[in-house]
Every structure is written in C-alpha cells, then in structure tokens.
Amino acid sequence: PKGLKPATTLEITDPNGVVLSNQNLTFHPAVDPNADPADYSITWAGPWTTDPNNPKSYLYLGNYRIVVKGVSQDDSPLESAPYDKVSLVEVKKVELAECGSAGLPSCQDGGVRLAENEDSNGNPMPGGGKAAFPDGTEPTQTQPNPDYRRTVLLRAELEPNLGPDAGQVTVHFRSIDVDDPSAQAAGSPIDDDTVATSSADNRNETATLVTSATASPDQGGAAITYLKVSTQQENNYRLAASTHEPWLATLCGVVSSGDGAVQKTPCSPGVPAVPLPSDDGRQVSDMLTVWRTLHLEVDALVSQDPAADQAAMDIRDNHTRLWRNRLRDDSRPFFDGGHPNRDDWVGANVSLGFHASDWYDATDNTDRDVRVNVATGQPDLLNGQRDRDITDRSYILRDDEIASLDRSQSCGPTTCVADYSLATDIFARAYIRLLPVVQFDVDATIPFVIVDHRNITSNFSLPNQVPSSRTFWATHLVSAFDGNAASDLDPRPLRGSFAINLGLTTVGAPLNDGRHKLKSTVFIETIRDTYEKPPTGGVGGAPLVLSPEVNRRVTAHEILHTFGIVHDAPIMCAEINIQNNTVGGTVTDDHIHALRSAERPVMPPHNDPCP
C-alpha cells in the first residue's frame, strides 16, 4: 500500500530452517509513490558468508524462504506470503557415463566404451578414474574405415533438484588437460615432465567439448553434455562443471601430479599442490584416460587330422638290429631334408612297438644308427628280450611334436598356444588393452603342410585374415613350427653363432584403403626344444629360462614387432630374451613411449641386428 514505512524488513530462511538475517537492509521509497499499489524495492546487502575462509559458513545449496515484513502508515503490521522460488543451485556431482546407458541420451557415433582405468591384473593405473575406448567395432572387409566411437557423456547433478523448473538452470563445463600421472610413478618415468611448465601433455589432441547445457527435468534435474575424446592412448582429462562459469576459469591442472590433480590457480612448476575444498571437489570428475584395443585372434597351425600329420612327420619303420641302447635300420637312411647330418636327431624321441609306452631321448645318430639315453629305472631298448626273439620290430623316431602346439599356460575355449600374458602386461603400461578373441570370422585352426617329414612352411596365409586399420587394431597370433631347418634347433646342438629362430612377424602388402594384415607367429616347437633339448652350454654359456617363460617372452617380442619395435635389448634381443635372468623379459621406457605414441599397428621392416 501507499505510505509503507521504512521499518519494512526481509526475513530470509535457509534450507535448514535457520534465519540468516533481517538486518542490513536498504529500503527504497516507492518508485512511483502515487501508484496504487505502490512499487517498492528492498535489498539484502549481505553478508553472504560470515567467514570467507570457513567453507562451513557458506550459504547452503537449496531453496530459500523469503518473507517481507512491513508497517503501514497507521502502524498496522503487514506480512507477505512466503516466497520459495529463490534457490542457490550448484553442481554437486560430475559423472562420466556411456551413451545410452541407464536412460541417458544416445550418441550419433555410438559412444565410447567405459571401463575402470586399471592394468591387466585389475590394479588401478596411476590416477585411477575411468578408461575410455574410442575404437571402431567393425573389423569386416566391407567396412575399411569404421567410425571411431569417441563420445562420452558428462552428467552434472544439481543441488537442489528444481524439478519442473530445472530448465531455468544452465550448467557450464570445462575440460582440463591434467598431468600424466605415470610421470610421477615409482621407478623411471615414461613421460619426464621435470621441465614442464603446464599440465598439458596430450598427444595428437582432437578432443572437443560442448561447454554448456541446460538442466532437464527428464534427467532428474541434471545437465548432460558431450565430450569427444581424442583417439590417442594415454591422453587424459578431468571435467569440471559449475552454474557459475567464471569459477571454471580459476581451475588448472597441477604440474607434476601423481594422480592428475586439479587445483585453483596458480598451477606453476614447483608450486605445491593444494587440494580443492571438498565442496569444490564435487564439481570435478574422476580422471578420464584414453585407451586403445588390440584385437588379438589366437590361432594354431593344427591340421584337421593331427594324428595323420604326426605320422608323416615321424620316421616309422622296422628296426634291423637292436641293442640295449642302440637301434639300427639298414632299410632306410636317417638323414633326410630336415636332418642331413650326423647327430641331427639328438634329443629326438624313440619308441619301440613292443613296449610303446617307453620313450627314449636320442643322444647321437649316424645315417643308419640311433643311440638313446636309458634313464635310471627305465628298461633298456631290449626290455629283457633277445633281439632275434622280438617279433614286433616297429619303431618311431620323432622330432617335432604336433602336440607341442597345445602346450600353453593360457588356453581358452579353442586351441590357443602362445602365452600372451606378458604382452598383455606390457601393452597395458602404454594404455593399450589386448583383447583376445576366439575368432573374427574364420576357424581358428589352420591346416599346415608337411615338408620333408619334419616341418611346415612358415610362409602360410590365413583365410579371411582381418586387417588392421586406424579405427580397428587387429593382429593374429599363430602358434606354429619354423619352416627353416637351419634355425629351428631341430633339435641338434647349436653350433657356431646364435641361430635359433623363435618367431616371425609379417605384414601383408597395404590394402587399397591403407589397412594392413599383421601376423605374429610363435614357433612353439623350437621353444620346446630350447628348454627340453637345449643347445650345448646354453647361449654363450648362459642357462636358458624355463620353457613357459620363453613362451611368454617370445610371444610378447613378436606382438611388439607389430608396432614397429625393432631388435634392441632386452626383450627384443633373442639372445637376451631366452637367458635365465630377469632382464630378458623386460622392455625399456623408450619401448613404452613408442607404444603410447603409436597411431596404429604398422610394422616396418625390422631386419636390424641385435646390438
């Protein structure tokens, strides 16, 4: 009414029912004192906090109740109806989510796959948080460049939830390029940031962010925006959100941080990190780290009839003469294409038909004779009989064993023989996850060809082999025999220079669209021979590591070749790799750095000598 007295006050009650203040009010006379009703202005000038250094004294997020209490010219008290449409709204939680999950919006590119940012053993990677996998999902021949899936959703939950009025709130977002946590990890850092002047360290950065979004009643009062991550492994971010955009500009990534921390400016080198207050920390997401996937099809060169193929690889005949530890066959030579010299059958297996369960190791041979080692407690070749009385005179002389292709420490639903567990651990350090698949679109067993009754050709092809592209990384891991008789320790003692060939990595000619077909072959039989029938004195007099560990190291060695890692020490140098020491199965920081920088698996020629 006209003539309202200056004694009029505001009474403001916070969300907890506490009356904040009805003092320090500025009363303005009616803007138009002659209007009826008159238009007055009453302002609460503060204080908004009682102690700026005490977060507990801040105004609470929520709805505030406001009542105007006035006095008319005739001293009659007046009081307005409570007004509860004034709210202090801020972000209380920032979540990373997959597109289309739990009622969230779908994304045009299908969205990244999110997982925990952890190594192959389930341990958190430095900085923890979430891993984003932007890989394409289609390996088919007809789709040479399937799209990346780069989009991740950011959901900013607000307090209070304004319900149907949520659309009145705009939330602002900012992406912060935080420091690589592994630079501060124990041991030698992969990314040395001792001279860094900012936390920005991402390679091939292509990330984009929709920087503001309106809250929605349909999303429980939350605001949702879209981040497209880069496609480079190890790039990492933290996402901040606020209804007060200027606050976002006060944040920066801590320089040299072991967990990708964010603080308020300044973030200068050498300035100790100051954690955000707990309330502010709610407005910053977990760290988001980009990973890539290497799809690994694990195959084996196993014929449809292994027994028949094994017979073709053996020498099977009838002995002419038998002694306690020597067998002679005058009807055929023991020298063949795979064993052309004396003692080339050393370490091979010998079995006799009349006591077939006993197998003997060959210790030397000529063109017509094979001597064996009779172990303590084992019957000799005659097995208590005289040679002229033996009626079943059949024997088997066996070198390569098809059964060795199934000697694995990590077999899955189908035949898998190469042990890729070490490779999995190594690639995880570079934020590349090995994903073994039973098969892409072909049978995982591949027939092989017998050559000179002893081996297979190593230059085989995989039917319908899946190519590797920028968006979909793929390679085949094949367990096989070495087709080169000069380098497979078959299983004669090593003579002269180190010449064992334990594996082979090849890449097909580039396809018209730039894709490549990559294939890593691990020669399981040679690995078996190096341990069970080792070269005399080991390698340079050094003992050999156990066969399962050689398997792990060689498999990792060959898969690393598919990313251009050349023959250098230690795991990439075969002489070091198979020695019984802890060095042989390790990679260098340069190897990990190269893996982190790789944009796709493309193997260059690596006919480089080991230093």
Side-chain angles (χ1 to χ4, degrees), residues 74 99 348 610:
D74 62 2
C99 298
C610 191

Side-chain angles (χ1 to χ4, degrees), residues 31-51:
V31 175
D32 183 359
N34 297 317
D36 191 7
D39 183 10
Y40 294 87
S41 175
I42 303 174
T43 303
W44 179 34
W48 292 96
T49 63
T50 56
D51 181 359

Side-chain angles (χ1 to χ4, degrees), residues 176-201:
I176 303 172
D177 184 356
V178 293
D179 184 57
D180 171 23
S182 66
Q184 299 301 311
S188 178
I190 303 304
D191 290 334
D192 184 2
D193 62 0
T194 55
V195 296
T197 57
S198 76
S199 65
D201 67 350

Side-chain angles (χ1 to χ4, degrees), residues 5 19 37 58 100 152 257 391 455 464 565 579 593 610:
K5 291 186 176 181
V19 177
Y58 293 178
V152 60
S257 169
T391 57
N455 231 325
N464 301 319
I565 308 299
Q579 291 183 22
H593 184 82
C610 191

Side-chain angles (χ1 to χ4, degrees), residues 463-502:
N464 301 319
Q465 184 178 350
V466 172
S468 185
S469 64
R470 289 187 180 277
T471 58
F472 190 91
W473 294 0
T475 189
H476 289 246
L477 178 61
V478 185
S479 187
F481 298 146
D482 183 7
N484 183 358
S487 64
D488 77 339
L489 191 68
D490 198 26
R492 55 189 172 278
L494 188 66
R495 299 187 182 98
S497 63
F498 183 79
I500 300 174
N501 191 5
L502 300 175

Side-chain angles (χ1 to χ4, degrees), residues 276-559:
L276 291 173
S278 58
D279 285 350
D280 289 349
R282 300 185 306 176
Q283 296 170 241
V284 180
S285 76
D286 293 337
M287 193 174 71
L288 180 67
T289 301
V290 178
W291 284 67
R292 294 301 303 267
T293 303
L294 178 60
H295 300 85
L296 187 71
E297 179 166 340
V298 185
D299 298 328
L301 285 174
V302 177
S303 173
Q304 302 303 314
D305 189 355
D309 284 333
Q310 183 64 66
M313 299 173 75
D314 298 337
I315 289 182
R316 300 189 179 197
D317 213 319
N318 295 312
H319 57 80
T320 305
R321 182 75 187 273
L322 198 66
W323 293 267
R324 295 181 62 253
N325 66 344
R326 181 161 61 101
L327 176 153
R328 168 169 287 186
D329 187 350
D330 290 322
S331 66
R332 60 157 303 137
F334 290 137
F335 293 167
D336 61 15
H339 308 81
N341 302 306
R342 180 176 182 136
D343 293 342
D344 278 353
W345 283 97
V346 171
N349 302 124
V350 178
S351 175
L352 300 172
F354 72 101
H355 56 117
S357 61
D358 296 314
W359 286 87
Y360 301 84
D361 289 336
T363 59
D364 60 74
N365 72 277
T366 64
D367 193 21
R368 300 293 178 176
D369 292 84
V370 175
R371 291 183 183 273
V372 302
N373 174 55
V374 179
T376 302
Q378 183 183 28
D380 60 29
L381 294 181
L382 290 171
N383 196 27
Q385 299 194 41
R386 294 182 301 178
D387 176 59
R388 64 175 179 267
D389 296 333
I390 298 171
T391 57
D392 182 358
R393 306 188 71 82
S394 64
Y395 71 88
I396 297 175
L397 179 60
R398 176 175 297 170
D399 188 348
D400 294 326
E401 288 187 344
I402 291 180
S404 69
L405 294 183
D406 200 24
R407 295 187 180 193
S408 171
Q409 305 303 308
S410 56
C411 281
T414 64
T415 303
C416 59
V417 291
D419 186 345
Y420 47 83
S421 59
L422 178 59
T424 299
D425 294 341
I426 291 172
F427 276 81
R429 292 178 59 194
Y431 299 94
I432 300 172
R433 187 155 296 172
L434 264 63
L435 181 64
V437 294
V438 174
Q439 59 189 44
F440 289 116
D441 58 355
V442 297
D443 192 335
T445 60
I446 305 154
F448 58 85
V449 179
I450 304 298
V451 179
D452 295 326
H453 304 288
R454 57 161 294 280
N455 231 325
I456 60 145
T457 59
S458 59
N459 186 26
F460 62 90
S461 61
L462 297 175
N464 301 319
Q465 184 178 350
V466 172
S468 185
S469 64
R470 289 187 180 277
T471 58
F472 190 91
W473 294 0
T475 189
H476 289 246
L477 178 61
V478 185
S479 187
F481 298 146
D482 183 7
N484 183 358
S487 64
D488 77 339
L489 191 68
D490 198 26
R492 55 189 172 278
L494 188 66
R495 299 187 182 98
S497 63
F498 183 79
I500 300 174
N501 191 5
L502 300 175
L504 177 69
T505 298
T506 57
V507 58
L511 304 177
N512 292 334
D513 48 38
R515 296 174 297 165
H516 285 71
K517 292 184 176 181
L518 301 167
K519 177 180 61 183
S520 292
T521 309
V522 177
F523 299 138
I524 290 293
E525 177 69 11
T526 309
I527 291 174
R528 163 185 174 262
D529 288 341
T530 57
Y531 175 60
E532 296 185 6
K533 300 146 186 190
T536 304
V539 179
L544 301 178
V545 74
L546 296 180
S547 183
E549 178 62 16
V550 174
N551 188 345
R552 295 175 70 243
R553 293 182 182 184
V554 172
T555 302
H557 172 111
E558 297 303 334
I559 299 176

